[in-house]
Amino acid sequence: MTTRAMPGIDRRTLMKLTAGSAVAALIPAGARAAAGIEATGLHGLSVFGDLSYPPDFTHFAYVRPDAPKGGRMSFRPPDWAYNQNPQTFNTLHSFVLKGDAPPRMEMTFTRLMTRAWDEPDAVYGELAEIVDILEDGNLYRFHLRPTAVHHDGTPITAEDVAFSLTILKEKGHPLVSQTIEEMAGVEAEDERTALVRFSGKQTRKLPLIVADLPIFSKAWWDGRDFSASTLEVPLGCGPYKVGNFQAGRYIEYERVRDWWGNEVPSAVGRNNFDRIRVDFYRDRTVAFEAFKKGNTRIFETFVAKTWATGFDFPAFHEKKVVKKEFPDFRPAGAQGWFFNTRRAKFADPRTREAIGLAFDFEWTNTNLFYGSYVRTESFFENSPMKAEGAPSADELGLLEPFRDSLPEEVFGEPWTPPVSDGSGRDRSQLRRAVQLLTEAGWTRRDGALVDKGGNALTIEFMTNAPTFERVLQPYLDNLRLIGVPASIRLVDAAQYQARLDGFDFDAVGRRFALDATPGEGIRQLWSSRSAGIDGSNNLAGIREPAIDALVEKLIHAKNREAMTVVGRALDRVLRAGRYWVPNWYKPVHTIALWDEYGWPETKPRYEFPVETTWWYDEEKAARLDSQ
């Protein structure tokens, strides 16, 4: 279960600097702003000023710079963003709320700067050759590469940049528009120079987020409705363009062989496949069958049973298909079944905790997952921001102003889901669940649990994946034992997304994987304001002043150490809210593939960019075909 990511970052490039500007680049952005330094000619940006690559770098360390170009790959994307849907699509416009778009449409556009995935948050120029930071960090001047063109050969201009960033703020998907609110305006200083102005209230990360947004053709969009869905192929300017597609079935992205950015250092060794195909399946079992037949060539599985028992087929025994595990060092984030607290029946955290106690992870992990998972405990799982033990003095200093409004447990050991006896029906946990329901005011009437108004307590888990039924069913049986009728609602992909966007569910499973340096996007997860914005990621409907305040402190932290302290304090408050039933994670990528691909020796710490860093190996493919 992965999620629509917040405006993140991922693309390609670099630039040349003077010795003076190179020194300025190593000064933290916050220090530059505080001292009023005008830093010019910067080849990269990071939140706290630390850059691993010098101005004259030639390629990222996690790519093979001479990787062969050619061949094809087909896969089922493990993650997606904005209005993208991994099960179907009915629009090619990927950056608005309306419609369901195919994952990876972002590859058809360029960005001002691109993410280095072996650093926590650094970006390096792509469309922008260099960037200047002016006016105490409130004005960024991006100098565009003169060779950059759209796919029709027309130049990419500063007017295109101004149009793109402005229209995304005005009409873009809420995950974009709400995130970049403190971008005050964008203008073209001249054809090759774009000025991006901020309000003065922005976080250190916002300029990096803005620099990673897609750039469109202003001329192409003239006369078209940016907020509408469309199957007309938008004019792009990235390393790939849309090729053949059939709405809801498949889409192919074709490499632009003469792409203007091929020689940009941050693009060297990347974008190696001539054709990348995404096929759409509404059922993971069907998708795996397609892989077994060779219709899909790379398959990352998130189903433990498939990984443990699903490889009894000829191609695997003949070693045409191989299994690989790659370490995953990224923050695991929060995966779980999120309660919709907008609904009165889930307003009391005791009710939510009781429902969570009926889930026996230990039994599930042993009997359904083959022991392959670890229980998720934190909203910052697998991250230094995960709260553990008693709060430090610094954490207490952040929490004390809210003591009167927070549960006492926030000031002690963080809440952690209890470990069951593994029987599948831990009587002590079920008794505790019944006790909590009674304390929350639920009473039995005519065999049902009802509140003071006579409304029955029921819960429906919404899903779009049939594979989760085997996990949910034993959980539902336990819920019925404590008097809570529970059901599974399997909905089609389009309806699922529409109901998510409109918060039309009781509980839903989701994973939110956070960046190593969280930015404005986490407001969309937990802030009170986002709880009322359709399409936001605040699925639980969290409205808590202490969380609002800590979110702001986190994204405005002056250094990584301060950010970590705030993150731990925030984690304590979130966990105390019982907004979810925590699920599970594993620190590896489990990949099956037809043995015709190569990949770099070094995997970047903060991403697993298969489609942009792997390549088609003709020698392997020839051996495969000869078998």
Side-chain angles (χ1 to χ4, degrees):
M1 271 185 302
T2 136
T3 188
R4 299 165 179 259
M6 277 71 66
I9 352 212
D10 177 27
R11 281 351 56 157
R12 43 223 134 259
T13 232
L14 125 347
M15 49 253 39
K16 297 181 180 179
L17 314 184
T18 64
S21 63
V23 172
L26 300 178
I27 302 173
R32 290 198 301 269
I37 296 175
E38 293 194 345
T40 60
L42 303 179
H43 73 297
L45 302 170
S46 75
V47 174
F48 301 119
D50 45 346
L51 293 173
S52 296
Y53 292 95
D56 60 349
F57 84 100
T58 57
H59 58 83
F60 289 138
Y62 54 85
V63 303
R64 175 181 161 184
D66 62 345
K69 306 288 185 182
R72 82 289 189 208
M73 73 93 84
S74 57
F75 77 135
R76 197 164 184 255
D79 51 58
W80 51 93
Y82 314 123
N83 69 345
Q84 294 175 359
N85 192 323
Q87 293 185 313
T88 189
F89 73 97
N90 49 41
T91 180
L92 295 175
H93 191 12
S94 184
F95 304 98
V96 294
L97 183 59
K98 190 172 183 180
D100 299 273
R104 300 304 181 263
M105 275 299 295
E106 63 273 14
M107 296 191 304
T108 66
F109 299 97
T110 188
R111 270 73 170 158
L112 289 166
M113 307 188 85
T114 189
R115 181 79 156 80
W117 288 116
D118 54 352
E119 300 180 66
D121 50 53
V123 293
Y124 296 85
E126 181 169 294
L127 172 61
E129 191 166 12
I130 56 175
V131 57
D132 307 324
I133 304 177
L134 310 170
E135 297 183 9
D136 289 344
N138 292 325
L139 179 65
Y140 281 64
R141 177 189 286 134
F142 293 94
H143 301 268
L144 310 187
R145 296 179 185 277
T147 55
V149 296
H150 295 287
H151 291 160
D152 65 354
T154 58
I156 305 174
T157 68
E159 288 287 351
D160 291 321
V161 174
F163 164 77
S164 302
L165 300 182
T166 301
I167 200 72
L168 284 169
K169 181 178 179 180
E170 293 175 352
K171 297 184 178 182
H173 193 284
L175 295 180
V176 183
S177 62
Q178 297 297 313
T179 297
I180 64 175
E181 279 187 320
E182 300 304 332
M183 183 189 74
V186 190
E187 61 183 277
E189 186 175 58
D190 57 42
E191 187 178 8
R192 294 292 172 188
T193 311
L195 301 178
V196 181
R197 192 174 299 277
F198 297 94
S199 68
K201 296 185 289 184
Q202 75 277 3
T203 68
R204 287 171 171 79
K205 191 170 183 179
L206 184 57
L208 282 67
I209 292 173
V210 169
D212 186 54
L213 292 173
I215 303 303
F216 311 116
S217 166
K218 178 182 179 182
W220 191 87
W221 279 102
D222 185 33
R224 292 177 170 90
D225 181 2
F226 189 85
S227 62
S229 63
T230 178
L231 285 172
E232 183 180 10
V233 179
L235 176 61
C237 53
Y240 285 87
K241 62 182 179 181
V242 174
N244 295 327
F245 70 90
Q246 185 175 343
R249 299 285 301 278
Y250 73 90
I251 186 169
E252 293 182 343
Y253 299 103
E254 297 179 357
R255 185 168 66 89
V256 180
R257 298 183 182 227
D258 59 349
W259 182 51
W260 60 267
N262 282 333
E263 302 304 317
V264 171
S266 58
V268 170
R270 302 176 66 196
N271 310 312
N272 302 315
F273 296 109
D274 278 351
R275 181 175 288 103
I276 296 175
R277 178 177 171 121
V278 177
D279 287 294
F280 293 81
Y281 302 96
R282 304 200 179 196
D283 183 280
R284 291 184 182 181
T285 302
V286 175
F288 187 59
E289 289 300 315
F291 168 75
K292 289 161 63 174
K293 294 176 182 177
N295 296 336
T296 301
R297 310 297 284 184
I298 298 177
F299 190 86
E300 181 170 4
T301 180
F302 300 94
V303 180
K305 182 179 180 181
T306 299
W307 189 251
T309 68
F311 286 81
D312 185 15
F313 57 94
F316 181 72
H317 294 308
E318 294 165 5
K319 301 189 185 308
K320 294 180 178 180
V321 167
V322 295
K323 296 167 65 176
K324 298 287 184 181
E325 292 189 357
F326 297 86
D328 186 357
F329 302 112
R330 302 172 300 171
Q335 177 173 310
W337 291 297
F338 288 82
F339 297 105
N340 186 356
T341 65
R342 301 169 187 83
R343 298 189 168 178
K345 60 185 175 182
F346 302 124
D348 194 312
R350 291 171 295 189
T351 300
R352 304 194 292 266
E353 182 176 355
I355 292 172
L357 285 172
F359 174 58
D360 192 328
F361 168 75
E362 284 66 34
W363 181 90
T364 303
N365 194 34
T366 299
N367 292 277
L368 301 182
F369 297 159
Y370 301 85
S372 60
Y373 286 102
V374 177
R375 185 77 188 266
T376 296
E377 299 176 338
S378 163
F379 284 77
F380 295 95
E381 195 63 60
N382 201 35
S383 159
M385 286 182 281
K386 177 181 179 178
E388 297 183 279
S392 66
D394 289 338
E395 289 175 64
L396 287 174
L398 294 166
L399 295 168
E400 282 294 345
F402 306 100
R403 182 177 282 275
D404 292 343
S405 63
L406 294 175
E408 184 59 31
E409 72 178 45
V410 169
F411 301 89
E413 298 276 337
W415 178 79
T416 300
V419 176
S420 78
D421 61 12
S423 67
R425 293 185 178 179
D426 188 314
R427 293 182 179 274
S428 63
Q429 288 190 191
L430 296 178
R431 281 196 299 269
R432 175 58 180 158
V434 171
Q435 179 184 352
L436 285 168
L437 290 171
T438 301
E439 292 174 1
W442 297 97
T443 58
R444 285 195 176 271
R445 183 186 304 172
D446 298 328
L449 287 176
V450 297
D451 60 17
K452 292 179 180 179
N455 301 299
L457 176 58
T458 62
I459 183 168
E460 177 185 273
F461 291 86
M462 185 177 74
T463 181
N464 62 351
T467 54
F468 275 95
E469 293 185 24
R470 62 188 287 269
V471 179
L472 280 167
Q473 196 57 59
Y475 181 22
L476 270 55
D477 292 341
N478 278 350
L479 285 171
R480 295 185 188 106
L481 288 177
I482 63 173
V484 181
S487 60
I488 302 170
R489 174 60 64 89
L490 179 64
V491 298
D492 66 58
Q495 183 186 7
Y496 179 83
Q497 194 55 54
R499 290 183 62 175
L500 272 186
D501 290 340
F503 309 120
D504 182 17
F505 57 86
D506 281 349
V508 67
R510 208 69 168 162
R511 178 190 176 195
F512 296 105
L514 302 177
D515 288 340
T517 310
E520 272 88 347
I522 65 170
R523 288 177 178 146
Q524 295 294 308
L525 287 173
W526 304 316
S527 74
S528 297
R529 182 182 176 187
S530 66
I533 298 175
D534 285 357
S536 88
N537 277 326
N538 190 346
L539 299 180
I542 297 172
R543 298 178 186 267
E544 169 55 58
I547 290 175
D548 292 341
L550 290 170
V551 162
E552 294 306 308
K553 288 182 180 293
L554 177 65
I555 61 181
H556 286 94
K558 294 181 178 179
N559 53 57
R560 193 165 297 280
E561 292 73 19
M563 180 192 74
T564 301
V565 170
V566 179
R568 290 171 180 168
L570 174 60
D571 190 34
R572 294 177 189 278
V573 181
L574 286 167
R575 288 158 72 175
R578 312 295 197 274
Y579 297 111
W580 62 334
V581 181
N583 279 179
W584 48 82
Y585 77 99
K586 58 183 177 181
V588 294
H589 299 276
T590 46
I591 307 292
L593 63 145
W594 288 78
D595 193 16
E596 58 189 5
Y597 299 104
W599 51 86
E601 293 182 6
T602 302
K603 175 190 171 295
R605 182 177 183 85
Y606 297 104
E607 191 50 277
F608 189 45
V610 170
E611 62 270 38
T612 59
T613 61
W614 287 26
W615 59 87
Y616 184 75
D617 188 316
E618 291 188 354
E619 290 186 7
K620 284 185 175 181
R623 289 197 298 270
L624 196 66
D625 291 340
S626 66
Q627 290 179 324

